[in-house]
Amino acid sequence: MSGSITADAVIGMSFGDEAKAKIVGTLLDKNKYTHCLRYCGSSNAGHTLYKDGKKIITHIVPAGALFGVESIVGPGCVLNENLFLSEIDELSKTIPDIASKVKISTAVHLVSQAHLNEELKEDKLGTTKKGVGPASRDKYARVGKRAESSAALKEFLIDMYDDFLNTEQEKVVICEGAQATFLDIDWGFYPYVTSTHCGIGGIVNNGIPIGSFRNIYGAAKCYDTYVGSKAFQDKNDPVLDKIADVGQEYGATTGRRRQVNYLNLDLIDKAKFLNSTTHIVFSKIDVLREIDVWKVIEDGRVKDLQDETSFVKHIEEKFSNLNIIFSDNPYSI
Ligand code: IMP
């Protein structure tokens, strides 16, 4: 007999970098969670959050560990031992007992040095070069190595079913997304995608039962950004460069400048449908406020909503059956 599971989730609605970690951090501050589950991605992610006034960036270590919550890297992730262990070392300088809060599912596939080297040699897609594609290829070709075979990770390993899902404990889990719906291997703009499942289906595949979801937070920004080789930004529109400058749109993992476009409401609508979101948090409204340009893409074309009030009203009306939150700071929602 297993105890009940209640799950909240934070899922990217666009192309990543939508301030998911800020939402996760706020929820960890507000609610009592027994666990945090990182359900997709790898060291490719760069999650920035502020804790007790300090800026902390994590990559594969789930944010819950920073808050003393038992945190699991689930089987939907792939992981490089050395990158993981050096991230733990780095975070230990701020949070000395962090290692004791992190668990890794035995079924997580390992990113080897050969996988990393492969992307360093050739990468047409503009990946983060963390070996996610090659490791996932080997996973699905059934020739990969799993965390269960790693001596270096031994102290972190758990069997996801026996040690987490099928225990008597009542669990309240925050599921921490990485990347986003339109970087998802199946729902993104293939081949300009990552190689794991970034949406709600990915969470269910980590063993979180469908009926256990409570609140599903979609993370978006008031404009869109994308890093990678796909052409995304209209180079003839100077406003988009201005947004990138004011918004300081540089990747937390690779430092690359992000391409910018106006908020695509058609895609948000699709992501809402695919992920059954109950809330959407639109971050960085302060950036549009500074530039005072209030455009969105809707029905495939750019619409000018003229001022902040019309912008907010338009979005709230469009998603009137959801809880819509606008955020204007990097610390909380
Ligand atoms: P990969 O995940 O490193 O294979 O990269 C595949 C695509 O996803 C590239 O366009 C990356 O820039 C993008 N990507 C991967 N992780 C993130 C992220 O955390 N934020 C934004 N883009 C990401």
Side-chain angles (χ1 to χ4, degrees), residues 15-18 20 38 41-47 59 119 123 125-134 136 177-180 182-184 191-196 198 225-230 251-254 256 258:
F15 300 89
D17 309 313
E18 309 101 336
K20 290 180 287 294
R38 171 69 181 274
S42 186
S43 301
N44 52 353
H47 289 177
H59 299 282
E119 282 190 325
D123 169 26
L125 305 176
T127 72
T128 60
K129 301 194 187 338
K130 300 295 182 217
V132 177
S136 303
Q179 292 83 46
F182 298 109
L183 290 174
D184 181 274
Y192 299 102
V193 292
T194 190
S195 299
T196 64
C198 314
T225 59
Y226 161 83
V227 268
S229 300
K230 188 167 95 83
T253 299
T254 59
R256 290 178 292 174
R258 299 171 183 144

Side-chain angles (χ1 to χ4, degrees), residues 9-195:
V10 179
I11 298 173
M13 300 288 271
S14 308
F15 300 89
D17 309 313
E18 309 101 336
K20 290 180 287 294
K22 173 179 72 174
I23 304 171
V24 172
T26 305
L27 294 176
L28 279 158
D29 261 341
K30 275 193 194 155
N31 303 319
K32 281 211 178 334
Y33 293 104
T34 58
H35 295 86
C36 175
L37 171 69
R38 171 69 181 274
Y39 64 87
C40 69
S42 186
S43 301
N44 52 353
H47 289 177
T48 307
L49 50 81
Y50 289 82
K51 179 152 192 311
D52 306 326
K54 270 199 202 116
K55 180 177 179 174
I56 306 182
I57 297 180
T58 65
H59 299 282
I60 180 62
V61 172
L66 312 178
F67 292 75
V69 172
E70 182 168 325
S71 294
I72 302 169
V73 180
C77 301
V78 296
L79 174 147
N80 175 266
E81 293 166 353
N82 295 335
L83 292 174
F84 168 75
L85 293 171
S86 45
E87 190 178 332
I88 290 279
D89 276 353
E90 189 56 37
L91 291 170
S92 301
K93 292 178 192 159
T94 322
I95 302 154
D97 68 339
I98 194 153
S100 68
K101 300 294 175 200
V102 182
K103 302 285 175 237
I104 298 172
S105 158
T106 49
V108 163
H109 272 254
L110 296 177
V111 177
S112 67
Q113 189 57 45
H115 293 141
L116 292 170
N117 294 346
E118 204 178 314
E119 282 190 325
L120 287 177
K121 254 193 278 154
E122 191 182 355
D123 169 26
K124 291 196 182 97
L125 305 176
T127 72
T128 60
K129 301 194 187 338
K130 300 295 182 217
V132 177
S136 303
R137 177 198 61 214
D138 286 355
K139 167 178 171 171
Y140 287 99
R142 292 160 293 168
V143 297
K145 279 215 167 78
R146 309 209 299 180
E148 63 200 349
S149 66
S150 164
L153 297 177
K154 203 160 191 265
E155 65 172 293
F156 297 99
L157 295 179
I158 59 163
D159 178 293
M160 194 71 182
Y161 188 72
D162 292 343
D163 302 331
F164 174 58
L165 297 167
N166 190 34
T167 62
E168 293 293 335
Q169 191 193 1
E170 300 295 310
K171 300 163 202 87
V172 187
V173 186
I174 172 87
C175 304
E176 180 185 11
Q179 292 83 46
T181 306
F182 298 109
L183 290 174
D184 181 274
I185 181 80
D186 291 324
W187 292 103
F189 291 80
Y190 192 91
Y192 299 102
V193 292
T194 190
S195 299

Side-chain angles (χ1 to χ4, degrees), residues 110-320:
L110 296 177
V111 177
S112 67
Q113 189 57 45
H115 293 141
L116 292 170
N117 294 346
E118 204 178 314
E119 282 190 325
L120 287 177
K121 254 193 278 154
E122 191 182 355
D123 169 26
K124 291 196 182 97
L125 305 176
T127 72
T128 60
K129 301 194 187 338
K130 300 295 182 217
V132 177
S136 303
R137 177 198 61 214
D138 286 355
K139 167 178 171 171
Y140 287 99
R142 292 160 293 168
V143 297
K145 279 215 167 78
R146 309 209 299 180
E148 63 200 349
S149 66
S150 164
L153 297 177
K154 203 160 191 265
E155 65 172 293
F156 297 99
L157 295 179
I158 59 163
D159 178 293
M160 194 71 182
Y161 188 72
D162 292 343
D163 302 331
F164 174 58
L165 297 167
N166 190 34
T167 62
E168 293 293 335
Q169 191 193 1
E170 300 295 310
K171 300 163 202 87
V172 187
V173 186
I174 172 87
C175 304
E176 180 185 11
Q179 292 83 46
T181 306
F182 298 109
L183 290 174
D184 181 274
I185 181 80
D186 291 324
W187 292 103
F189 291 80
Y190 192 91
Y192 299 102
V193 292
T194 190
S195 299
T196 64
H197 295 283
C198 314
I200 195 146
I203 304 178
V204 174
N205 260 345
N206 277 250
I208 299 296
I210 289 173
S212 63
F213 288 99
R214 180 173 61 182
N215 293 321
I216 301 165
Y217 288 80
K221 284 193 291 213
C222 288
Y223 52 90
D224 284 340
T225 59
Y226 161 83
V227 268
S229 300
K230 188 167 95 83
F232 187 77
Q233 178 171 337
D234 176 358
K235 298 226 164 62
N236 298 317
D237 184 345
V239 173
L240 298 174
D241 268 334
K242 230 175 172 180
I243 293 175
D245 289 340
V246 174
Q248 294 184 23
E249 293 299 342
Y250 294 91
T253 299
T254 59
R256 290 178 292 174
R257 186 171 169 102
R258 299 171 183 144
Q259 299 186 62
V260 174
N261 204 350
Y262 300 112
L263 172 63
N264 190 323
L265 291 178
D266 301 334
L267 289 183
I268 297 287
D269 207 31
K270 188 169 167 185
K272 176 201 89 169
F273 177 83
L274 291 171
N275 295 305
S276 300
T277 44
T278 57
H279 296 62
I280 308 177
V281 181
F282 291 94
S283 283
K284 290 195 157 180
I285 197 163
D286 50 316
V287 173
L288 293 194
R289 205 175 277 153
E290 187 164 335
I291 295 165
D292 202 23
V293 172
W294 301 96
K295 293 183 183 177
V296 295
I297 296 171
E298 199 169 25
D299 304 325
R301 58 194 175 81
V302 177
K303 266 189 196 161
D304 192 345
L305 298 168
Q306 303 202 344
D307 59 23
E308 180 170 349
T309 310
S310 320
F311 180 87
V312 166
K313 189 162 169 262
H314 186 80
I315 292 172
E316 283 177 345
E317 281 175 0
K318 185 172 179 84
F319 302 110
S320 60

